[in-house]
């Protein structure tokens, strides 16, 4: 709790709509997308950068801890308060006023509170989009704070690659506003300061405004389910697709049999394209796209994809066992149903990992072989972005499993998975969900002391106040 005098002062700064202090009205801000449930002292909802600055300044001067919150769709307990009731949530949900499109520059200047879906809806009439494809619908500020990637990273890259400029409020006594809102793609005039605030969980400052690179909306798309000859053939199949398709290839998503079966079980409307309804051990969703309308005499993308698959099929030691070309909306429906399907199987323990592309299948095969011995009763339901090295390594435990009665079960499981991923395979324990309280101990353990010292120095330099859920020093 914080004193009523502070609530009154913050209400004077932000107005009645800008402060939520009744416990029954704060639940949505206290509850995470998957795991966490905290308790907030209050929720601040500024509507402008100036209001963010004034509120942050007041909180820093009075020693009030702030938790920046964007769309609250993260999965690592980074955007919700702890259980102490002493932290104040600063929400971006009213920062949605500014929208300045520069079609010539193919960029947009937008407030950080816009949801991804709202942004792309407004861009659609201009045949442009912010090309980060996600299952969730986050706000732009949170996407920057966590450097999200998504299913089309292979073609468009992550948020870092598509961020041209930022406006950031620092957690110091002045609530300093840094204007890093350059619209230039080339600007080698010193340190690229905006990158300090991308992917660092909001600990160094609160993003209130952004300048984003935009891409043309694809006008032609073709998709297929590919069945590799074996797990060892997944990367040869990817290389064969890249060699023949180049920039056309926009997605190469891997899905395990367990994850697909969970989606079919949970979403009855999904069409099962596999012969006899038998789901293969592993399936790839491949997508190719073009940004122009079909031209007279031009081969359709479906024909292009079918021709490429035929070439691969007929190649020596073909990495492809089967393929199903189908309508994009049906193909992607299965991919987008995986998370919900897996979540309904039981207690979900999720990992967002990253590897060299050649190590993904080796890691997954290793874990599936070791899991029955190490943690019997845990089911692996993995899927992910094979084209960029990311994997959602989801583990499911039946709700009546005795494992869930063991106080240290989840901690032991997490420590083992991260040890194998980081120490044996040289991977990252956080591919695109950043750190958050859930991954804090692993950041502390795996990050070299000098890097922690440097990160702590940056935190002290930029935002010495109590900002965010992550300790970088």
């Amino acid at each position: 709790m914080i004193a009523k005098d502070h609530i009154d002062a913050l209400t004077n700064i932000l107005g009645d709509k800008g402060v939520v202090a009744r416990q029954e009205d704060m639940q949505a801000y206290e509850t995470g997308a998957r795991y966490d449930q905290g308790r907030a002292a209050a929720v601040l909802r500024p509507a402008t950068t100036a209001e963010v600055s004034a509120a942050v300044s007041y909180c820093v001067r009075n020693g009030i801890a702030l938790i920046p919150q964007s769309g609250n769709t993260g999965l690592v307990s980074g955007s919700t308060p702890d259980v102490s009731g002493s932290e104040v949530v600063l929400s971006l949900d009213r920062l949605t006023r500014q929208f300045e499109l520069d079609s010539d520059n193919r960029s947009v200047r937008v407030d950080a509170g816009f949801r991804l879906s709202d942004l792309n809806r407004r861009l659609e009439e201009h045949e442009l989009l912010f090309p980060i494809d996600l299952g969730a619908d986050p706000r732009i500020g949170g996407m920057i704070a966590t450097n999200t990637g998504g299913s089309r990273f292979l073609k468009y890259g992550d948020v870092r690659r598509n961020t041209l400029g930022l406006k950031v409020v620092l957690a110091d006594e002045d609530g300093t506003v840094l204007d890093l809102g350059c619209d230039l793609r080339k600007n080698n005039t010193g340190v690229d300061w905006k990158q300090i605030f991308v992917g660092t969980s909001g600990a160094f400052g609160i993003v209130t405004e952004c300048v984003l690179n935009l891409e043309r909306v694809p006008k032609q798309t073709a998709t297929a389910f590919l069945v590799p000859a074996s797990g060892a053939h997944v990367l040869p199949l990817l290389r064969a697709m890249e060699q023949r398709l180049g920039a056309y290839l926009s997605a190469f998503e891997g899905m395990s049999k367990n994850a697909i079966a969970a989606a079919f079980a949970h979403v009855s409307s999904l069409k099962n394209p596999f012969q006899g309804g038998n789901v293969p051990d592993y399936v790839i969703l491949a997508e190719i796209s073009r940004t122009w309308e079909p031209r007279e005499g031009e081969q359709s993308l479906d024909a292009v994809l079918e021709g490429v698959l035929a070439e691969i099929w007929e190649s020596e030691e073909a990495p492809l066992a089967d393929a199903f070309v189908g309508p994009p909306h049906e193909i992607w429906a299965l991919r987008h149903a995986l998370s919900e399907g897996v979540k309904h199987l039981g207690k979900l323990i999720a990992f967002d990992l990253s590897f060299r592309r050649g190590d993904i299948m080796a890691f997954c095969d290793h874990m599936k072989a070791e899991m029955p011995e190490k943690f019997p009763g845990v089911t692996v339901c993995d899927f992910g972005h094979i084209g960029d090295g990311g994997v959602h390594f989801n583990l499911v435990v039946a709700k009546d499993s005795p494992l869930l009665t063991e106080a240290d079960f989840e901690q032991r499981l997490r420590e083992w998975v991260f040890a194998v991923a980081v120490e044996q395979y040289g991977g990252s324990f956080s591919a695109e969900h950043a750190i958050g309280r859930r991954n804090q101990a692993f950041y502390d353990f795996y990050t070299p002391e000098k890097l922690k010292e440097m990160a702590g120095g940056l935190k002290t330099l930029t935002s010495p106040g109590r900002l965010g859920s992550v300790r970088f020093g």
Side-chain angles (χ1 to χ4, degrees):
M1 298 293 291
I2 61 175
K4 184 177 182 300
D5 289 349
H6 292 317
I7 299 295
D8 292 342
L10 289 164
T11 302
N12 286 335
I13 293 170
L14 301 177
D16 291 338
K17 292 183 179 180
V19 178
V20 179
R22 294 196 312 170
Q23 202 64 49
E24 57 268 30
D25 297 331
M26 293 192 285
Q27 187 173 0
Y29 300 92
E30 297 171 328
T31 305
R34 182 171 291 168
Y35 306 104
D36 43 324
Q37 175 69 54
R39 185 181 179 190
V43 177
L44 308 183
R45 303 175 64 237
T48 65
T49 295
E51 288 187 358
V52 174
S53 173
V56 168
S57 173
Y58 180 89
C59 289
V60 172
R61 285 185 282 108
N62 289 277
I64 299 171
L66 285 166
I67 302 295
Q69 185 178 105
S70 186
N72 200 20
T73 60
L75 304 178
V76 292
S77 304
S79 61
T80 49
D82 62 20
V83 297
S84 69
S86 63
E87 296 179 331
V88 169
V89 171
L90 191 147
S91 171
L92 305 184
D93 60 4
R94 294 179 67 217
L95 279 171
T96 56
R97 297 182 180 182
Q98 183 168 222
F99 179 94
E100 297 176 10
L101 176 64
D102 186 340
S103 297
D104 291 335
N105 197 46
R106 202 163 28 81
S107 65
V108 66
R109 183 181 296 268
V110 63
D111 278 345
F114 267 88
R115 286 201 180 272
L116 178 61
S117 61
D118 293 334
L119 173 62
N120 280 331
R121 192 174 298 115
R122 294 192 54 173
L123 292 170
E124 188 174 8
E125 64 181 287
H126 306 281
E127 300 185 345
L128 296 167
L129 82 160
F130 185 49
I132 310 297
D133 178 68
L134 303 170
D137 188 18
R139 298 184 190 275
I140 302 301
M143 295 176 69
I144 290 169
T146 56
N147 188 32
T148 50
S151 298
R152 294 183 174 91
F153 183 108
L154 180 64
K155 183 167 186 171
Y156 299 113
D158 54 11
V159 165
R160 186 183 300 280
R161 174 174 153 185
N162 289 281
T163 299
L164 303 181
L166 298 175
K167 187 170 286 185
V168 181
V169 174
L170 304 182
D172 58 17
E173 291 192 353
D174 297 323
T176 300
V177 178
L178 288 185
D179 191 348
L180 312 171
C182 180
D183 295 24
L184 306 178
R185 287 173 171 78
K186 293 184 175 181
N187 182 26
N188 292 309
T189 55
V191 177
D192 190 358
W193 292 106
K194 69 178 180 291
Q195 297 299 347
I196 292 174
F197 304 98
V198 180
T200 47
S201 305
F204 295 163
I206 301 171
V207 173
T208 61
E209 184 180 306
C210 0
V211 183
L212 305 173
N213 171 66
L214 304 176
E215 298 290 345
R216 304 294 303 177
V217 171
K219 295 299 182 66
Q220 304 176 61
T221 305
T223 52
F225 288 133
L226 313 180
V227 181
S230 70
H233 286 88
V234 169
L235 262 293
L237 178 57
L238 172 58
R239 290 197 302 269
M241 297 282 284
E242 289 180 324
Q243 179 184 5
R244 290 165 173 80
L245 292 163
Y248 278 13
L249 186 61
S250 50
F252 193 88
E253 297 282 289
M255 304 176 288
S256 67
K257 179 178 182 176
N258 286 343
I260 295 172
F264 283 143
H266 179 63
V267 183
S268 59
S269 61
L270 291 175
K271 294 185 177 180
N272 187 331
F274 306 110
Q275 187 172 6
N278 297 316
V279 179
D281 287 340
Y282 206 77
V283 178
I284 300 295
L285 185 162
E287 178 190 80
I288 62 175
S289 60
R290 292 194 290 224
T291 58
W292 58 88
E293 297 285 358
R295 296 166 180 158
E296 186 175 353
E298 181 180 60
Q299 190 177 32
S300 73
L301 274 190
D302 279 346
V304 169
L305 184 55
E306 289 169 358
V308 165
L309 295 177
E311 283 183 25
I312 296 172
W313 190 291
E314 295 167 2
S315 64
E316 187 177 349
E317 296 183 1
L320 187 62
D322 207 347
F324 310 84
V325 176
H329 69 278
E330 291 184 8
I331 298 285
W332 278 104
L334 174 57
R335 172 62 181 85
H336 291 316
L338 296 181
S339 292
E340 281 299 306
V342 168
K343 189 168 70 173
H344 281 78
L345 287 179
K347 164 72 174 177
L348 175 61
I349 302 172
F351 299 81
D352 178 52
L353 308 174
S354 179
F355 302 91
R356 293 178 295 271
R357 298 196 314 182
D359 289 337
I360 293 178
M361 299 308 296
F363 167 81
C364 290
D365 289 345
H366 173 87
M367 299 302 278
K368 289 170 186 175
E370 292 289 319
M371 190 68 72
E373 180 180 343
K374 296 282 187 179
F375 294 94
V378 175
T379 302
V380 180
C381 299
D382 57 299
F383 57 91
H385 319 303
I386 302 298
D388 62 51
V391 59
H392 298 291
F393 191 68
N394 295 299
L395 305 180
V396 179
V397 186
K399 292 180 180 178
D400 59 354
S401 170
L403 288 173
L404 298 179
T405 65
E406 300 175 16
D408 65 342
F409 157 66
E410 185 171 338
Q411 182 66 21
R412 289 188 293 112
L413 179 61
R414 287 186 178 278
E415 288 176 357
W416 175 61
V417 170
F418 284 142
V420 175
V422 177
E423 297 171 23
Q424 291 185 225
Y425 287 88
S428 168
F429 63 84
S430 178
E432 58 183 11
H433 288 302
I435 300 174
R437 284 190 301 274
R438 187 159 292 274
N439 286 335
Q440 181 71 60
F442 302 103
Y443 170 84
D444 294 342
F445 183 77
Y446 286 114
T447 305
E449 289 302 319
K450 186 60 180 179
L451 295 185
K452 286 190 283 188
E453 179 185 335
M454 292 169 63
L458 281 173
K459 172 70 172 73
T460 300
L461 176 66
T462 56
S463 289
R466 299 167 62 190
L467 179 67
S469 61
V470 178
R471 303 184 310 275
F472 276 102

